[in-house]
Amino acid sequence: MQLSLDHISVTDTTPSRLADIAAATGCSGICPFLRSMAVLPAMPDYDLVTDAAERRATRAALAAGGLTVDLVYPFTLARRTVVADFEPALAVAAELGGRLANVLCYDRDLARQIDRLSELADLAEQYSIDLAIEFYPPSQIRTLADALATVERLGRDDVGVTVDLLHIMRGGEVGSSMASLAVPHIRMAQISDGPAAMSADRIEWEAGLQRQLPGEGHFDIPAFLTALHRDIPISVEAPQQAAMAAGVPALERARGAVAATKAMMIKDNRRV
C-alpha cells in the first residue's frame, strides 16, 4: 500500500523530521515544503535552499526510511512572479529525488498565467521535474474543470493536476469533478475529511490549519478513491491545529492520520 505523508499534516516539523515520521508511520513517501511558509505559522523556520545541513539531514532520513519525495511545495504564480527565481528550489527538489512540483496560480491574467506556467514547465524540465497544478477555490484556478482546461491549453505531457478531495468539496462542482477523476492528467491525489459544508470565510483556515481525518466527516472518500486511476499516488493532507494546540506530538498526530487514511484505502480493494 503506497501512501505519502503531506507536510501540512504535521506542519510543526522540518523536512527531515517529516521524513522520520513518515517512515515511523509506515508511509512510502513525503510531500515536503522546501521552505517554511508564513501562512502556516506552526512551521519551524527553515529553508532547504540555503540550509545545507538540513538538506543532508533530509537526504539521510529519506534514505534510512526508504522514502520517495512524491510532491514538493511551494511554487506559487502571482502577477509579479519571476519564474527564474524558482530555479534554486527546483535544483534542491531534484537533489532530494522529487519529480513533481505543486503549483498554485493567483495571477488573474489568463494569458500571462499560461505563459508563466509554460516558462516554469520549461525550467522544471531541466531538472526532470513535472508540474502538478493544484486547483483551490481562493486561487485563480478554482475547480478541477479549471485545472484540466489549463492543462489542455498548455498542451504538455509534463504538466498535470493535483486533486485534493477537500477542494472538490469546497469548489461547488462535486458531481462533475468526481466524474472526471480518471482522466490521465491527474498526477497526485490528496485525502482528508470534513463537514458537508464550510462557510466561505473559513475555507482557507480549514485547508491550511484544521481538517478532519478520513472517516470522521461527510466526504465520500470511497467514491473518490474508486474514481481515481489505481496508480495515482495518494497522500494524507490533514492538518490538526486543535490537537497541536493541545500538545499532541507530531508523531501521534501523524499516526492517527495515516491509520485513518489506510483504513479508507483498504476499503477500496484496488489499493490493497
Side-chain angles (χ1 to χ4, degrees), residues 79-198:
R79 182 170 65 89
R80 298 183 179 180
T81 298
V82 177
V83 170
D85 291 345
F86 289 124
E87 185 162 13
L90 289 167
V92 168
E95 180 182 337
L96 297 176
R99 289 295 177 263
L100 200 59
N102 195 78
V103 184
L104 283 168
C105 296
Y106 286 89
D107 194 337
R108 296 176 183 273
D109 186 302
L110 179 59
R112 186 171 57 219
Q113 182 189 108
I114 295 298
D115 287 345
R116 295 269 174 80
L117 281 166
S118 182
E119 185 182 354
L120 180 57
D122 285 341
L123 183 61
E125 184 181 24
Q126 299 177 32
Y127 295 93
S128 300
I129 293 173
D130 291 354
L131 305 184
I133 299 169
E134 182 173 6
F135 60 96
Y136 178 43
S139 78
Q140 294 303 308
I141 298 181
R142 298 179 176 87
T143 67
L144 177 55
D146 292 343
L148 293 175
T150 301
V151 171
E152 290 293 340
R153 289 188 193 99
L154 287 164
R156 303 178 61 125
D157 292 336
D158 57 355
V159 181
V161 177
T162 298
V163 58
D164 186 331
L165 177 56
L166 176 71
H167 301 337
I168 288 178
M169 298 303 298
R170 303 305 179 225
E173 298 179 1
V174 177
S176 60
S177 294
M178 294 290 275
S180 299
L181 290 175
V183 300
H185 298 309
I186 305 298
R187 301 294 300 276
M188 187 79 191
Q190 299 168 328
I191 296 178
S192 61
D193 213 334
M198 179 63 61

